[in-house]
Amino acid sequence: MGFDIFMLGITIVIAGAFTWLILWFFFPKGQMSDSDNGGASSQDAHDSIPTRQRLFVIAAILTIPVFLIIMLPLISDILIPQWLRSPWIQAILITPVMFYCGRTIHSEGWRGIAHRAPNIDSIVSLGAWAAYLYSLFVCFAPEVLPLGSRDPYFESVGIIITLVLLGKLLEDKVRAGSGEAVSGLQRLYPQNSHKVANSVVAGLISSRERPISDLSAMHLRQEDVETSALRPGDAVFVNAGERMPADGLVIAGSARLDDSPVTGNHQSVHIEEGQKVFAASQVIRGSLLVQVTAIPSDTVLDQIIELVSKARSTSAPLQTLALKLSRIIVTAVIILAIWTFAIWIVVGPQPRLSHALVTGISVLIVACPCALALATPLSAYVSMNLGATQGILMSSGLSLSQARRIRMICFDVDMLASHDTRDPKATVAALHKAEILVGMFTHEPIATAMQQATAYGVDEVIPLQQSVSAEAHTTHERDSQADENQEKATWIRHFAERNSNNGLVAMVGDSERDTLAFGEADIAFALGTASQEAMQSADITILSGDMQGVLHAISLSRQTIGNMRENLVWALVYNVIGIPFAMGILYPFTGWLLTPAIAGLAMTFSLVCVIVNAHRLSHADIRHTWEYVESDDSRRTPHIVTED
């Protein structure tokens, strides 16, 4: 009895010392760097999907026989010959899994420990090493161990590494799928273009008496050139079935055009002389002669690709929180595993060493926060990919996260008139249904402005003092635009301060006159293929130019954050429930322990659930979240905003 108390005291002291050491090492005083990966490994970016797939297949092929060697005798003793049960056979099969298939897991895990930022791979590697070294000891010196502690755990090593590789492979495929928005857009550029000599174009323009709508009967002398060689001012001929090689202006011809890769509008549009066209748009019917206005490296499509790429490299606040939480959980799990081992080695039933090892390794594996670390980034990747296919470009993960909190939207009155908004009043009413206040900038006289606001159902009329008249456009255009820009910015700042406790204020615009207001707004929307300055200043770009796209962006944000929260809850609840089982809470009542192999299966099940749930976003309907229904609420009486 005295010896047991002494051993208990020694164990508590040793476990406490290890706990202090881990906390001191992983959480130095005053340091919680935002640059830490918060529990997520670098995802082994140097491993391609084919490489990861090969490692998984090899690991599975070598692990399955070991798993069967262990499991089949539980059904019947005659299913596996005695000589096959030798731990040396298991060691031969699992050693390549440990050191070849699991090499990146170990390298990333120990790198995290060395940098005082333990990650998911750190837990997996610790668990695998503990099980492997113990099993190897069983092979070399089984007589040193108690009779009940001479069973190897090679199958647990194989299952842990194999299932983690499977999870990483699934994650990589989801990431790769979300990247198709970028690579798919890049592939839309035609490699070659039909260049028409400038002299031919000049002769065509000078000889015609009216716009040429049909080019089929004309034999334009063409030269096939590489698209990358095009320069502004060049003329190109684009026939039915071909894509625009660059942004340009239609010189002659008419066609039905699919511009969905750029605008997100899946309905074809009619294009004729004098209208703009954009790279990657496809001619469905007809043909066009187009003068290039932007080289293929400076088109609207390139701006879209840059925005999508930039957005995928940023994190939403909820995503950052999950990563930091992951780091804390990783450290807590290591400490829990130490104390679990200590408790079982002192007060557990015989064979104590075997039970302590099983429970300690099981805690490391079952509590591995793989699902938690992937809960938010996968949702963000899938969501941004969905937005890009719908013509909604998020400049960052922050924009994706914040759009759901918008409570006021301001725009010029001509936003509804000059863009392709299908039903302006329905759009405003839908904003009301989403509990969003609508403000309208206007240069019109008060009476006219109130009439327009009433017709649209706008809440607040915001009169602008600076009038952009025809005279201003001809004599003081630059000064008047600067004044208007500053005035809008002042109003947006006023609304942001007024609404600071009630949600965010958004600005919708499409030109340089809106850029200062964009800077003051919590969320800035650029409508349509806006000016380059507007797109670069905006948080979200709605390529279709339809104000309903703003609603779709808000819907996308709300559904994405909802999906992230579902994943976080699932991952956290799984850990909260799984850890007590892994520690052996049921053993005193049922004699049942969670083995490392079963813990690995449970961990992977949680991971797969998170991946599947995140993938659901790719099929989300963001276009019909709010349906317009005529009601008293949709016929609001606007009021004029003053600076008081």
Side-chain angles (χ1 to χ4, degrees), residues 43-54:
Q43 306 305 337
D44 311 326
H46 51 282
D47 275 357
S48 63
I49 288 180
T51 300
R52 186 95 74 194
Q53 198 160 9
R54 185 181 71 253

Side-chain angles (χ1 to χ4, degrees), residues 10-11 28-29 74 79 126 169 172 177 184 221 298 352 367 369 493 512 559 578 602 624 629:
I10 290 294
T11 304
K29 186 177 180 181
L74 300 179
L79 293 177
L126 284 172
L169 178 62
D172 287 345
R221 184 159 48 89
D298 195 29
R352 289 178 179 176
R493 190 184 311 117
E512 294 85 346
Q559 293 191 53
H624 303 288
V629 178

Side-chain angles (χ1 to χ4, degrees), residues 516-553:
L516 288 180
F518 278 2
E520 295 292 339
D522 296 308
I523 300 286
F525 290 88
L527 275 193
T529 47
S531 67
Q532 187 171 2
E533 291 82 358
M535 286 186 70
Q536 290 176 346
S537 303
D539 298 299
I540 302 173
T541 301
I542 308 299
L543 294 174
S544 65
D546 191 336
M547 275 285 292
Q548 288 195 2
V550 176
L551 280 165
H552 301 156

Side-chain angles (χ1 to χ4, degrees), residues 63-79:
T63 299
I64 290 173
V66 177
F67 182 74
L68 294 177
I69 288 172
I70 299 300
M71 298 304 294
L72 289 181
L74 300 179
I75 301 173
S76 174
D77 236 8
I78 64 172
L79 293 177

Side-chain angles (χ1 to χ4, degrees), residues 570-616:
W570 175 262
L572 287 171
V573 168
Y574 162 80
N575 278 344
V576 169
I577 294 176
I579 290 175
F581 282 104
M583 294 176 71
I585 194 173
L586 293 180
Y587 186 84
F589 311 103
T590 65
W592 182 76
L593 279 179
L594 188 68
T595 67
I598 296 176
L601 288 170
M603 179 267 293
T604 303
F605 175 74
S606 171
L607 179 64
V608 170
C609 288
V610 165
I611 292 173
V612 170
N613 191 49
H615 187 66
R616 284 194 311 112

Side-chain angles (χ1 to χ4, degrees), residues 429-452:
L431 288 170
H432 289 158
K433 190 171 184 180
E435 300 180 353
I436 296 174
L437 200 67
V438 180
M440 181 184 78
F441 290 113
T442 181
H443 295 286
E444 300 291 343
I446 295 301
T448 304
M450 289 294 287
Q451 185 178 9
Q452 291 173 330

Side-chain angles (χ1 to χ4, degrees), residues 555-574:
S555 171
L556 178 63
S557 174
R558 293 184 176 183
Q559 293 191 53
T560 301
I561 297 302
N563 189 272
M564 287 181 176
R565 286 173 174 165
E566 291 169 0
N567 283 348
L568 284 174
V569 169
W570 175 262
L572 287 171
V573 168
Y574 162 80

Side-chain angles (χ1 to χ4, degrees), residues 329-346:
I329 290 178
V330 167
T331 308
V333 166
I334 295 174
I335 293 173
L336 274 175
I338 291 173
W339 280 97
T340 299
F341 181 89
I343 292 170
W344 278 88
I345 202 70
V346 173

